[in-house]
Amino acid sequence: MTLASTSMGDDRRDWSLAMQAEYEVAAADGQALSFASGCLVAAWRELLASPQGRFTLTNYAAALGIMLPMAALQIGCAVFGLPYLYPGEHGLPGAMLVGGSHETLLRSIYLGAVPTLALIQLITGIGHVRLAWLLVERDWPGAIRWALWTLAGATALVIFMSVLFLDAQQALLQAAIVGLEVAAIAIGITRHAEIAAVRNPTG
């Protein structure tokens, strides 16, 4: 019922409240699950039939299909380790350094950088979780703010890894995806304003 009510949107608020009231009666009769399922099907049918609904579904798809998987990847890398962090056979950024007199010092520098890199990755992942929530809630100022912060975190990770001569290709890919997310949110804001103008042409 919560998902059905959320899916209704602002223009179906009265219908959502009526469904909630009917749900209480159905629950008292032991028909809570079947009634809630029917409401969910009806809500999603309404979503597909209107521009506002399709816009809402697009937001859910972006949150569930892009942002949350990105958050899982980044948080997983931060918690369980960065498998792409150390290129080369012995974890150093070039075979010429292996076996040299500076190998121990370089290895200690890279290992000492891991907590900072992991923290940046963790913050970026948490930013994606928050961004997904704000996108579903259509909190555009908050979404833009968190998207820029997340992009800043991903960019900092790329710069930090590049300064340490580490393989930053996957981090760079993640930063590029965040950049695309920022652009998609900007497009979403424009599209949401257009839909609102159509629904309320007088202003």
Side-chain angles (χ1 to χ4, degrees):
M1 281 304 300
T2 300
L3 182 57
S5 298
T6 304
S7 301
M8 284 297 178
D10 297 334
D11 56 342
R12 293 290 189 272
R13 187 63 57 192
D14 292 339
W15 187 10
S16 174
L17 293 175
M19 284 197 314
Q20 290 285 354
E22 293 176 14
Y23 172 76
E24 299 296 333
V25 177
D29 292 338
Q31 302 295 323
L33 181 59
S34 60
F35 181 82
S37 300
C39 290
L40 183 59
V41 171
W44 282 66
R45 189 183 297 121
E46 286 290 321
L47 283 176
L48 293 172
S50 66
Q52 175 70 25
R54 290 190 290 272
F55 180 77
T56 299
L57 287 177
T58 302
N59 285 347
Y60 274 99
L64 297 175
I66 300 177
M67 295 178 184
L68 290 184
M70 281 289 295
L73 172 64
Q74 291 164 339
I75 294 174
C77 287
V79 174
F80 299 108
L82 302 169
Y84 55 84
L85 184 59
Y86 303 109
E89 182 180 359
H90 296 280
L92 296 177
M96 68 179 64
L97 298 176
V98 176
S101 59
H102 300 293
E103 179 180 350
T104 301
L105 176 60
L106 289 173
R107 187 182 301 277
S108 65
I109 292 174
Y110 295 139
L111 292 178
V114 168
T116 301
L117 295 173
L119 179 61
I120 296 174
Q121 194 88 24
L122 180 62
I123 292 174
T124 306
I126 293 173
H128 262 99
V129 174
R130 180 60 177 164
L131 182 58
W133 178 267
L134 293 171
L135 182 64
V136 170
E137 291 290 316
R138 296 193 295 275
D139 181 354
W140 302 121
I144 284 292
R145 184 169 61 253
W146 277 86
L148 293 176
W149 287 347
T150 304
L151 179 60
T155 303
L157 182 66
V158 173
I159 294 174
F160 199 176
M161 293 179 68
S162 299
V163 168
L164 293 173
F165 300 102
L166 299 174
D167 186 1
Q169 291 183 3
Q170 293 197 34
L172 184 61
L173 176 60
Q174 293 180 24
I177 293 175
V178 178
L180 292 176
E181 290 172 353
V182 174
I185 290 172
I187 294 173
I189 293 173
T190 302
R191 179 58 179 160
H192 186 256
E194 292 173 352
I195 293 174
V198 171
R199 289 171 51 195
N200 187 19
T202 60

